[in-house]
Amino acid sequence: MVIITLLSSSSSSRDLSMLQFNIWQEGTMIPGGFDAIADEIARLEPDFIMLRFCDRIVNALKERGKTYYSFYSYDSGLLSKHPITDSSTIFPIQNDHGTIYKMKTTVGKQVCAVYTAHLDYL
């Protein structure tokens, strides 16, 4: 997990945490793997999570008393502890190899943009 500090013009700061996973088959190839992933996210409570299976993990985290937000994406995905105000596909534009997504949220009074990428082997 990476911690970044968000600085604002009012000289105040806030730490934000980011967690990125590259998980084979949503953790389902290992007994209890998916639940272990959900438990670890619930334990760490990162602000932003980059992974590929958002809807299922959002529901699993809700069962653990944690609220996260996401948006539809074809491949790579983003979860946010903070409500998402906008999201967009950056790449592919047409039949490209891989995906890059962007989401925006507001933390305090600061607008934040977070990107995720998953490029294929080509």
Side-chain angles (χ1 to χ4, degrees):
M1 188 160 69
V2 174
I3 306 292
I4 61 170
T5 301
L6 180 65
L7 301 173
S8 69
S9 59
S10 65
S11 298
S12 64
S13 65
R14 175 182 174 161
D15 287 344
L16 296 174
S17 54
M18 298 185 156
L19 181 63
Q20 189 277 328
F21 279 113
N22 185 6
I23 299 173
W24 180 44
Q25 298 293 320
E26 300 180 13
T28 60
M29 302 307 288
I30 297 171
F34 177 84
D35 285 327
I37 294 162
D39 290 341
E40 190 65 5
I41 292 170
R43 182 184 73 80
L44 292 172
E45 297 187 52
D47 289 286
F48 306 107
I49 306 161
M50 293 77 163
L51 48 66
R52 293 184 65 185
F53 48 99
C54 294
D55 291 344
R56 185 171 177 213
I57 201 76
V58 164
N59 291 330
L61 291 167
K62 187 174 184 177
E63 291 172 3
R64 289 160 173 79
K66 308 295 178 185
T67 301
Y68 278 85
Y69 304 91
S70 190
F71 57 92
Y72 175 78
S73 61
Y74 173 72
D75 185 23
S76 54
L78 283 159
L79 274 65
S80 173
K81 254 185 169 177
H82 312 279
I84 296 170
T85 56
D86 190 23
S87 64
S88 58
T89 302
I90 303 301
F91 179 84
I93 304 303
Q94 296 228 348
N95 300 323
D96 294 299
H97 299 284
T99 56
I100 300 173
Y101 292 98
K102 171 186 173 182
M103 62 129 247
K104 287 185 182 177
T105 188
T106 302
V107 179
K109 294 181 180 179
Q110 184 71 43
V111 175
C112 299
V114 180
Y115 295 78
T116 188
H118 185 262
L119 303 178
D120 75 6
Y121 67 97
L122 299 174

